[in-house]
Amino acid sequence: MDVRLTYEDGTIRVDADADLAPDALPPLPGVETDPRTGTGRAPAHRYAELRRALQVAGVSVDDRVLDASDRAASEAGLPDALATDYDLREYQREALDAWREADDRGVIELPTGAGKTVIAVRAMVDLGVPTLVVVPTVDLLDQWQRELEREFDAPIGRFGGGEQRREAVTVSTYDSAYLKADGVGDAFEFVVFDEVHHLGGEGYRDAARLLAAPARLGLTATFERPDGAHEVVADLVGDRVYALDVDDLAGDHLAPYDIRRIEVEMTAEERERYDERQGTFVEYVRDAGITFSSGSDYQELVKRSGNDPAAREALLAKQDAREIMMNADRKVERLGEILERHRDDRVIVFTAHTDLVYRLSERFLLPAITAETGAKERREILERFRDGTYSRVVAANVLDEGVDVPDANVAVLLSGSGSEREFTQRLGRVLRPKEDGGRATLYELVSAETAEERVASRRR
């Protein structure tokens, strides 16, 4: 043995033979000297690169990093317990092949409803190793657990939603994975990150850094982040290896669709208030020389507001203007016309504000889902939407991702953040193929001559 690799608390410990010449080892990715032990040490996510560098250099390695994973596989009878009846579509097979060719690392970007879960299950079967699936919400945790229990002849472990039970195949929330990763980082050889763009958030990065799993698969409908943090995701999981957008699949594997943008005039009172508040904001940023040419410019404005009353007033004015344009009264009137036109369809209404959800729920007798809606009530509403008891629901920022939303064929966007990710996710909610082959429709209601109109125009 020239070098021994072991896993310790989220790191890979590198022990070299005492008589090994100092220049005998190649540069090792991420390895630094640990003064406490006199050994090398690297973040656990560098394990695959580290192992490859030693192999290329012809160094003899005693690799004990995944001993716990090997024991778990043996005890669970993997890979015999992993099998699936899924028949991959051509693009799903292409995506899986691209991931395998990238040394079982990387991100697959496909629209909502395109079957990313199917690809992950097939990858789990092909590898036949202990696997951790990480998801952003308890709703997705439940969904993945049900799916894996249906497919595999093996117990499915769970970290999150009140349970902490580890099995050779385990599902976890990002929060639980972050808390437990250093203790289970050697127990899984494959990790799947659903909605992988969440890894770009500072708090969740350690969920990937502390795991040794050499095989890593990220799934998302929207890989790139406006803050550039998708580069961090690429470092932790791998580059984007396959991508298709909605237009690539619409008509064949997703429903054909129409996007209808409707410009709505604000009332005279709303226009006056909007112009006044927007003007306050614009005047401040112009005088301060803030151009918003980069994402950091807005953060600079937020910092200024801590000790500059004028900056704080500008931010409050911007927030007021945004709420006025998003919640314009005539949007509600047009929504009533759309609901009447589509009274025989299945409709999801999206807004950005909880108060507007309750206002719409009361006016149009729509079941409402917000962040305040309890998990049990939300499941009941969605189940009734699924079985046809309800034909329409209204929601505030809680059905964009991480929830198993029943099929609908009409979406109405009254307001939102304006981000490309949010728009894509909401469009995806109505794109699953229809039994009758019908088209999906997304209505986007925007207030005329406002920032909302400009954002919508950029997407055309």
Side-chain angles (χ1 to χ4, degrees), residues 107-113 116 194-197 219-224 240 244-246 400-401 420-421 424-425 428:
V107 173
I108 292 174
E109 181 181 39
L110 290 173
T112 300
K116 294 184 289 293
D194 199 5
E195 308 290 0
V196 71
H197 49 270
L219 305 173
T220 183
T222 48
F223 176 56
E224 294 189 359
R240 178 169 49 188
L244 293 176
D245 62 24
V246 168
D400 293 346
E401 66 175 28
E420 194 69 35
R421 166 174 287 116
T424 300
Q425 289 166 336

Side-chain angles (χ1 to χ4, degrees), residues 11-38:
T11 68
I12 304 301
R13 174 169 165 163
V14 183
D15 288 277
D17 281 348
D19 57 354
L20 193 66
D23 60 352
L25 290 180
L28 298 177
V31 175
E32 297 181 1
T33 300
D34 183 347
R36 299 168 301 172
T37 62

Side-chain angles (χ1 to χ4, degrees), residues 111-123:
T112 300
K116 294 184 289 293
T117 301
V118 173
I119 298 171
V121 170
R122 184 73 251 179

